[in-house]
Amino acid sequence: GIQVEQSPPDLILQEGANSTLRCNFSDSVNNLQWFHQNPWGQLINLFYIPSGTKQNGRLSATTVATERYSLLYISSSQTTDSGVYFCAGGGNTGNQFYFGTGTSLTVIP
Amino acid sequence: GAGVSQSPSNKVTEKGKDVELRCDPISGHTALYWYRQSLGQGLEFLIYFQGNSAPDKSGLPSDRFSAERTGGSVSTLTIQRTQQEDSAVYLCASSLFTAGGPYEQYFGPGTRLTVT
């Protein structure tokens, strides 16, 4: 299967700081998504981004499909941004959707 | 519109008992996934349904696990003879299916299973 590596595994930020989370895939993926898992366990869709760049408020994401990585940018972080961020994507064969082990973000006031 | 719903939200069962977990996907979504998330871990793919096609069961960890999807909508994941290592959060997701394959997935709130 496809290996998904996320970095950093843990991140502590002061409120207002910016950060970049990275996701590397061992093989080409499609349907790449970023999720935020809140403290109650709900997975919230952030971006569907197979390629290119998207922005949504303080968050933006860039996927470079040819180099098999994606970046999630969080600007002016808030305490509500705390949680675990996952990236995931599907392989070009089969139906599996592969998740990284996540980046655990803590934003302190 | 309604999102993906799952029931029960929590289930505590004794080792050896069977359990059924239910998923109601978003209306119109023909693709449906089941995942398992152990404490502090990422998500592990279990099974995939698309329309009337045969399901992809390649992620099921043992023959104690099975799933069905009736009428192309509601899905039930069944775990027989539960073991303590089955304790996890079971998540369901659904998506549209396009010519290019499954599209963006949307997740339910999960069922937290505890086997005592």
Side-chain angles (χ1 to χ4, degrees):
Chain A
I2 294 175
Q3 308 305 311
V4 184
E5 180 183 334
Q6 289 190 244
S7 60
D10 298 280
L11 185 58
I12 300 175
L13 295 176
Q14 196 77 42
E15 196 169 26
N18 303 327
S19 64
T20 301
L21 281 57
R22 185 177 178 108
C23 179
N24 290 332
F25 291 86
S26 62
D27 201 349
S28 297
V29 295
N30 51 44
N31 299 329
L32 197 152
Q33 291 186 242
W34 282 95
F35 299 91
H36 175 214
Q37 190 166 40
N38 64 24
W40 296 271
Q42 176 70 52
L43 278 163
I44 299 164
N45 289 34
L46 297 178
F47 294 101
Y48 173 78
I49 187 165
S51 63
T53 296
K54 291 186 177 180
Q55 179 155 9
N56 184 3
R58 296 181 296 103
L59 302 182
S60 64
T62 295
T63 295
V64 183
T66 53
E67 298 188 20
R68 303 195 299 268
Y69 75 87
S70 186
L71 303 172
L72 178 69
Y73 306 96
I74 304 174
S75 65
S76 304
S77 59
Q78 300 177 358
T79 56
T80 53
D81 295 333
S82 296
V84 182
Y85 290 79
F86 290 102
C87 62
N92 290 320
T93 59
N95 303 303
Q96 288 215 17
F97 203 59
Y98 299 91
F99 276 77
T101 52
T103 291
S104 179
L105 174 63
T106 302
V107 181
I108 54 177
Chain B
V4 178
S5 62
Q6 293 186 244
S7 61
S9 55
N10 282 284
K11 177 71 176 178
V12 180
T13 190
E14 293 180 353
K15 177 182 172 180
K17 297 284 182 67
D18 298 350
V19 295
E20 285 189 352
L21 313 179
R22 177 187 169 105
C23 172
D24 281 271
I26 292 172
S27 178
H29 282 193
T30 59
L32 187 148
Y33 293 80
W34 281 98
Y35 298 89
R36 179 169 70 174
Q37 185 176 29
S38 300
L39 188 63
Q41 302 297 311
L43 274 72
E44 173 190 6
F45 165 82
L46 295 178
I47 189 169
Y48 167 76
F49 294 91
Q50 163 48 31
N52 295 320
S53 302
D56 180 345
K57 305 179 182 179
S58 58
L60 295 178
S62 78
D63 59 7
R64 297 187 295 104
F65 289 72
S66 63
E68 63 177 21
R69 188 176 185 191
T70 54
S73 181
V74 171
S75 178
T76 302
L77 177 69
T78 301
I79 309 173
Q80 295 180 309
R81 305 180 303 282
T82 52
Q83 304 295 312
Q84 288 187 328
E85 60 263 29
D86 299 335
S87 296
V89 177
Y90 290 81
L91 291 154
C92 174
S94 71
S95 74
L96 294 171
F97 188 90
T98 70
Y103 193 52
E104 183 175 5
Q105 294 189 36
Y106 293 86
F107 280 81
T111 293
R112 182 175 300 275
L113 175 66
T114 303
V115 181
T116 62

